[in-house]
Amino acid sequence: DVVMTQSPLSLPVTLGQPASISCRSSQSLVHSDGNTYLNWFQQRPGQSPRRLIYKVSNRDSGVPDRFSGSGSGTDFTLKISRVEAEDVGVYYCMQGTHWPTWTFGQGTKVEIK
Amino acid sequence: QVQLVQSGAEVKKPGASVKVSCKASGYTFTSYGISWVRQAPGQGLEWMGWISAYNGNTNYAQKLQGRVTMTTDTSTSTAYMELRSLRSDDTAVYYCARDVISSGLLIRGYYFDYWGQGTLVTVSS
């Protein structure tokens, strides 16, 4: 089974400063169709998760452009260029390459210093 | 607009079963699947399984095999998740999310783009 490992698990950030979250998979996430189905989700306190990024770097509609995704193979990164107060929450990576089995990372809690 | 509306909170005793519903609207139900995800208090997201609303095919997380059953009712565009032999560590918020019905459709990106509001299931004696 694919294991998704995120780091750090806790990320205190100063408002206006950048933040970066790493996600590593135990197997390559390159699908047989050539795409890489690595996704990022944000979960604000008390809310359902919300998808931010799909297929490594595609931002969902309405997601601010301060969020960006990158990476390939087994190593991926979510970056927030300038953290705002509304970005507080837990961020999860999730692989879908091995569909119909999905796997989430453990989550990274972003908080304001 | 696409919506997934889940049933209300449940309190169950250990050993009992629970059935959570997820009613879809705003899209063609049988053109997509539904995945179920749960989140224990203070913990991360755990994928539980997937069902195709097109043909009822399922795939369950290994740790839940034998205790979970996912079904759909296409006449009402509703998906169901039943969990049996409940234990205290099944206490969690259960979410449904839209998924695809085949690997070839992943490329379109129409998966986990819509989520239900969550259903709290509490298992306590």
Side-chain angles (χ1 to χ4, degrees):
Chain A
D1 287 0
V2 180
V3 176
M4 306 298 292
T5 303
Q6 290 183 228
S7 63
L9 299 184
S10 178
L11 185 55
V13 187
T14 301
L15 286 173
Q17 292 301 300
S20 180
I21 300 169
S22 170
C23 175
R24 290 200 165 105
S25 61
S26 60
Q27 302 175 27
S28 173
L29 296 186
V30 179
H31 192 272
S32 57
D33 68 6
N35 290 288
T36 299
Y37 295 104
L38 186 283
N39 314 283
W40 289 95
F41 293 84
Q42 174 194 62
Q43 188 178 32
R44 292 172 171 149
Q47 295 187 10
S48 299
R50 166 199 183 196
R51 196 179 70 179
L52 298 177
I53 303 279
Y54 63 98
K55 285 195 300 177
V56 181
S57 59
N58 294 271
R59 261 192 314 275
D60 272 280
S61 175
V63 175
D65 61 8
R66 64 179 180 274
F67 290 93
S68 64
S70 63
S72 63
T74 60
D75 288 351
F76 304 92
T77 302
L78 175 70
K79 291 183 178 175
I80 310 174
S81 59
R82 294 172 305 279
V83 172
E84 298 189 6
E86 67 177 18
D87 299 336
V88 165
V90 182
Y91 292 78
Y92 297 90
C93 62
M94 182 189 78
Q95 72 80 24
T97 293
H98 299 274
W99 185 92
T101 296
W102 301 89
T103 314
F104 288 97
Q106 318 98 298
T108 295
K109 186 174 184 179
V110 171
E111 57 184 9
I112 305 300
K113 278 184 188 174
Chain B
Q1 72 283 20
V2 174
Q3 280 192 301
L4 297 174
V5 179
Q6 298 182 222
S7 48
E10 303 261 15
V11 179
K12 297 291 183 181
K13 293 195 182 306
S17 298
V18 69
K19 193 169 186 177
V20 179
S21 67
C22 170
K23 183 171 175 60
S25 61
Y27 70 95
T28 302
F29 184 65
T30 52
S31 294
Y32 294 84
I34 293 285
S35 263
W36 289 88
V37 174
R38 69 178 180 177
Q39 185 171 39
Q43 301 302 307
L45 301 173
E46 177 188 13
W47 177 79
M48 299 177 66
W50 160 88
I51 182 166
S52 166
Y54 174 70
N55 58 14
N57 285 353
T58 55
N59 183 49
Y60 303 136
Q62 199 163 5
K63 70 176 284 189
L64 295 173
Q65 289 272 2
R67 285 207 303 138
V68 67
T69 300
M70 296 176 187
T71 57
T72 60
D73 181 344
T74 58
S75 68
T76 60
S77 298
T78 303
Y80 298 92
M81 185 286 299
E82 181 180 31
L83 190 60
R84 300 177 294 279
S85 302
L86 288 168
R87 310 187 289 245
S88 58
D89 62 356
D90 291 318
T91 293
V93 175
Y94 289 75
Y95 296 100
C96 61
R98 190 169 75 164
D99 200 338
V100 296
I101 55 172
S102 71
S103 177
L105 292 174
L106 287 170
I107 196 169
R108 295 186 185 178
Y110 299 142
Y111 51 83
F112 288 88
D113 50 346
Y114 291 94
W115 292 66
Q117 82 276 21
T119 296
L120 175 62
V121 175
T122 303
V123 183
S124 173
S125 54

